[in-house]
Amino acid sequence: MATLSNRLTSRVLFWTFIIIIFLFATSALLAQIESRSGEVLGVDDVFPDMAFFAAGDLTVNAKSTDDIFAAGGEISVDGAQADHMIIAGGEIIIADVAFRDLIAAGGDINIISGTITDDVVIAGGDLNIASDVKIDGSGMLTGGDVTIDAAIGGELRAAAASLHVNGNVNGDAHLTGEEVVLGPNITIGGDLRYRARKIEIAPSAVVTGEIIVLEPAPEPDFEKWSVKAASAIAVFALAFLLGAGVLVIAIALMLPSLMNSASEMISKKPFATLGIGVLIAIAAPAVIVFLFITVLGAPLALMTVALYVATAPVALAAFVYFLGMQGRRLLGKTAIGEPGVGARLIWSAIATAAFVIIALIPFLGGIVWVIGYLIGMGAVMTRGGRALALKA
């Protein structure tokens, strides 16, 4: 009875995961999707549909009537056109662009020129939006050091340690920062609401509506510490999940033979693979302890620990890759032979996103992670030697 219950639970979790992937992917992947990746990549084509680009050094001059997604270490977007532009990178430079919406996150973001006909949502370490940028909609901006010289057609919501605003704002302005500076060229068409330790408003600055000072609400000391602790834990958990997600996608791209072989085993023998993973999870710690208590076995124990730890992300990558390939098959994307780089990138990313979302659910997320790890470990340990021998 217990075995039947365990199998039923495993099947429910598995198919729930597949359904979530299907729902997550259907709307975005019904159209023809263009995807490109590499260490250095330049894209200047015209695309009729959605496009994904990823590279360490990425230059985007592409034009699309749909959405463009770009990720990389250094990203230059020059002359690009898109409906929605979504960018994430270390250093981002944007010039002479035309988007309906812009969503960006990065360490250092400079927007030099261009037109955004609707809204802008940006989070960055240092953010600079020059006066040659026109934003017809609203702006939601945050960062460490934020300078806004562009005109904002709607309302502006900005928060930063150091916040400088010197462009016209047609709607209300909601500003938060340690230091807030309103320059001489600014005109705010609505109300100004601000919360700041220090504010400087130029004599020629114009505020049509009211100026409302928002004082921080008093909090008991223990409440402040609890909020800070909860925030720190949440940030750490999110950073860990995102980091793990990036690592999983990288492994899926770098070890195609191992991922395909492990995925095939999970598909054909899911419960046998889970059983192997459970045995490894139980046996490995016992072997490590046994080796440590022997003088000659200590170095081997350390090597076993290192191997065990190094295999964990590969095991998770194998399970997530399997889920991505199952989603691909469900949508009828199966092609002759093994999937190419683009297919591995897109479907691994979709499965990783779903996996991270599930992981955020209390209790259920932990169960899914454990099951995924055990199944992946069983597949990797069984098929790893053969796949790596084929120069995965």
Side-chain angles (χ1 to χ4, degrees), residues 269-287:
K269 301 177 180 179
F271 296 106
T273 307
L274 175 61
I276 294 171
V278 172
L279 288 176
I280 293 172
I282 295 173
V287 171

Side-chain angles (χ1 to χ4, degrees), residues 149-172:
D149 293 326
I152 308 293
E155 71 172 7
L156 171 64
R157 293 180 178 269
S162 177
L163 177 60
H164 294 71
V165 184
N166 196 30
N168 291 336
V169 180
N170 285 347
D172 296 336

Side-chain angles (χ1 to χ4, degrees), residues 235-372:
V235 170
F236 175 81
L238 183 58
F240 172 80
L241 290 174
L242 291 176
V246 172
L247 182 59
V248 163
I249 294 172
I251 292 172
L253 290 175
M254 291 187 296
L255 301 174
S257 294
L258 175 57
M259 294 296 102
N260 287 321
S261 181
S263 177
E264 180 183 9
M265 180 176 179
I266 297 171
S267 179
K268 291 181 178 179
K269 301 177 180 179
F271 296 106
T273 307
L274 175 61
I276 294 171
V278 172
L279 288 176
I280 293 172
I282 295 173
V287 171
I288 291 169
V289 172
F290 176 78
L291 291 173
F292 261 123
I293 62 178
T294 66
V295 176
L296 296 177
L300 185 57
L302 292 173
M303 291 178 61
T304 305
V305 170
L307 177 63
Y308 195 65
V309 172
T311 307
V314 181
L316 287 173
F319 181 70
V320 171
Y321 182 86
F322 159 71
L323 293 176
M325 293 302 103
Q326 292 300 309
R328 180 171 178 257
R329 291 190 184 95
L330 285 175
L331 288 181
K333 297 290 184 179
T334 304
I336 299 174
E338 294 181 353
V341 174
R344 294 202 305 274
L345 173 64
I346 292 172
W347 288 101
S348 296
I350 292 170
T352 299
F355 198 63
V356 169
I357 291 171
I358 289 292
L360 295 174
I361 302 175
F363 185 70
L364 176 62
I367 293 175
V368 172
W369 269 76
V370 170
I371 291 176

Side-chain angles (χ1 to χ4, degrees), residues 104-294:
D108 189 354
I109 304 175
N110 286 286
I111 308 178
I112 300 171
S113 60
T115 300
I116 294 92
T117 57
D118 202 350
D119 300 332
V120 171
V121 180
I122 302 176
D126 291 332
L127 170 61
N128 179 64
I129 306 179
S131 59
D132 287 338
V133 179
K134 181 183 179 184
I135 301 171
D136 293 336
S138 298
M140 296 183 64
L141 313 169
T142 184
D145 189 346
V146 175
T147 300
I148 307 166
D149 293 326
I152 308 293
E155 71 172 7
L156 171 64
R157 293 180 178 269
S162 177
L163 177 60
H164 294 71
V165 184
N166 196 30
N168 291 336
V169 180
N170 285 347
D172 296 336
H174 306 259
L175 309 178
T176 302
E178 292 290 318
E179 178 187 21
V180 175
V181 177
L182 301 184
N185 299 325
I186 189 171
T187 297
I188 298 176
D191 297 336
L192 168 63
R193 292 179 170 84
Y194 73 88
R195 179 182 286 112
R197 291 183 180 273
K198 177 184 177 182
I199 186 165
E200 179 182 332
I201 302 177
S204 59
V206 177
V207 179
T208 303
E210 297 182 67
I211 298 179
I212 302 168
V213 180
L214 304 175
E215 296 294 338
E219 298 179 7
D221 289 343
F222 73 88
E223 195 169 289
K224 290 182 179 180
W225 281 107
S226 64
V227 170
K228 289 180 179 179
S231 300
I233 292 171
V235 170
F236 175 81
L238 183 58
F240 172 80
L241 290 174
L242 291 176
V246 172
L247 182 59
V248 163
I249 294 172
I251 292 172
L253 290 175
M254 291 187 296
L255 301 174
S257 294
L258 175 57
M259 294 296 102
N260 287 321
S261 181
S263 177
E264 180 183 9
M265 180 176 179
I266 297 171
S267 179
K268 291 181 178 179
K269 301 177 180 179
F271 296 106
T273 307
L274 175 61
I276 294 171
V278 172
L279 288 176
I280 293 172
I282 295 173
V287 171
I288 291 169
V289 172
F290 176 78
L291 291 173
F292 261 123
I293 62 178
T294 66

Side-chain angles (χ1 to χ4, degrees), residues 19-34:
I19 290 170
I20 289 172
I21 292 175
F22 179 81
L23 293 176
F24 184 84
T26 300
S27 61
L29 295 174
L30 286 178
Q32 180 74 25
I33 295 177
E34 177 72 22

Side-chain angles (χ1 to χ4, degrees), residues 51-75:
F52 293 78
F53 309 120
D57 187 345
L58 176 62
T59 301
V60 180
N61 310 105
K63 296 177 175 59
S64 174
T65 55
D66 206 327
D67 303 335
I68 294 179
F69 296 78
E74 296 183 4
I75 303 177

